[in-house]
Amino acid sequence: MRRQVGFAFAVVLLGMMIMAACTNHNKQAETSAVLDVKIDAPDHIDLNKPTKLACVVTYGGEKVDDANEVKFEVWKHGSDEREMLEAKHDGDGRYSVEKTFTEAGTYSVVAHVTARDMHNMPKKDIVAGSPEQAATADGARENSQGSAEEHHHGAVAISLSSRSFEAGKPAALTVHLTKDGKPFTNATVRFEIWQADNKHEFVDADEKGNGEYEAMATFANKGTYSVKVHVEGSGGLHEHQVEQVTVH
């Protein structure tokens, strides 16, 4: 009799433990769910052609088809004008908007998404026109703005340490940043790398101290590459500079 009572008690206890474990698992699954937004837009955009900017929204791994708000903020680097475009729902967690880019250059696209009482706003840089057109347009803009704008924004001086690398070997891209003659620290630095019309690669740099930032990259082919250094800092600061490097 005691054995039967003990066995029944063990079964009941085991059931309670299983139920508690399931409950805790469900609570953990609920609390760990996050709003995830992935921008789906080309790295290169042709001028004067309608282009679709899209994003895929998920929550806890499931597609979100009832987001409260999805908008795309678009602006050209160096311009104070920003365009906010309201997206439409395409289904299966995908939201998109169509835009025609008429001026060559580098643009930033931010997807502003509100859903499930959360907000997410990922950012992606895209190039309108060929890389050469974009680099020319960006360079012309920087030259035309002159020292008056540099004084107004407190421009950051960007100096790439090396412009010669070996193909197929890990290379250290090192840049020194100064502002008002002093090392510029606590910045977000990213290298944009491409060769001719090939795909652009983005590599994030680590801060080494005293205004020095470094990232590792591998140049697959010999020839000339373009390296664009993106620098972001507090107060909305965004500076960039294009350098040409040679790969042997």
Side-chain angles (χ1 to χ4, degrees):
M1 184 66 179
R2 288 183 179 178
R3 281 187 178 180
Q4 292 178 346
V5 173
F7 179 75
F9 177 76
V11 170
V12 172
L13 182 61
L14 179 61
M16 293 175 64
M17 291 174 64
I18 292 174
M19 290 178 63
C22 291
T23 300
N24 289 335
H25 176 75
N26 291 335
K27 287 182 178 179
Q28 290 175 359
E30 290 175 2
T31 56
S32 62
V34 296
L35 181 68
D36 185 58
V37 181
K38 288 183 172 58
I39 294 180
D40 183 10
D43 295 322
H44 305 91
I45 291 177
D46 292 331
L47 293 178
N48 303 312
K49 291 184 179 179
T51 302
K52 182 167 285 191
L53 306 175
C55 66
V56 177
V57 184
T58 59
Y59 177 78
E62 296 183 357
K63 301 292 178 62
V64 175
D65 293 322
D66 58 351
N68 300 92
E69 183 180 67
V70 179
K71 292 183 178 180
F72 287 92
E73 183 181 9
V74 183
W75 72 92
K76 186 179 180 182
H77 289 187
S79 174
D80 293 330
E81 296 182 6
R82 301 195 176 205
E83 189 176 9
M84 192 69 78
L85 307 171
E86 190 165 351
K88 64 181 181 65
H89 182 220
D90 297 331
D92 201 26
R94 183 182 175 87
Y95 299 79
S96 69
V97 67
E98 198 171 79
K99 176 175 172 59
T100 300
F101 292 80
T102 59
E103 296 182 6
T106 305
Y107 290 77
S108 288
V109 176
V110 176
H112 294 267
V113 179
T114 302
R116 305 293 190 270
D117 296 325
M118 296 182 181
H119 187 75
N120 198 341
M121 44 186 294
K123 175 184 174 184
K124 178 177 181 177
D125 286 344
I126 59 178
V127 174
S130 68
E132 289 76 16
Q133 287 176 316
T136 300
D138 292 342
R141 175 189 59 78
E142 290 170 357
N143 292 333
S144 65
Q145 287 170 340
S147 59
E149 181 180 346
E150 291 182 357
H151 176 75
H152 176 70
H153 289 290
V156 175
I158 301 172
S159 177
L160 193 63
S161 297
S162 178
R163 293 177 175 81
S164 180
F165 303 96
E166 289 188 51
K169 293 185 178 181
L173 291 172
T174 305
V175 65
H176 292 272
L177 306 180
T178 57
K179 184 178 181 183
D180 299 327
K182 299 178 181 179
F184 187 61
T185 59
N186 299 319
T188 299
V189 177
R190 183 167 59 162
F191 293 97
E192 180 182 358
I193 307 165
W194 73 91
Q195 185 180 38
D197 292 329
N198 295 333
K199 183 177 179 180
H200 289 217
E201 177 186 1
F202 292 88
V203 184
D204 293 326
D206 295 323
E207 185 171 1
K208 296 300 181 181
N210 201 33
E212 181 178 287
Y213 299 80
E214 183 180 273
M216 299 301 296
T218 300
F219 297 92
N221 306 311
K222 295 181 179 180
T224 301
Y225 280 77
S226 295
V227 176
K228 189 172 188 177
V229 185
H230 295 268
V231 179
E232 294 184 0
S234 59
L237 181 144
H238 187 142
E239 300 282 349
H240 56 265
Q241 182 171 302
V242 180
E243 301 282 357
Q244 302 295 319
V245 301
T246 302
V247 179
H248 304 282

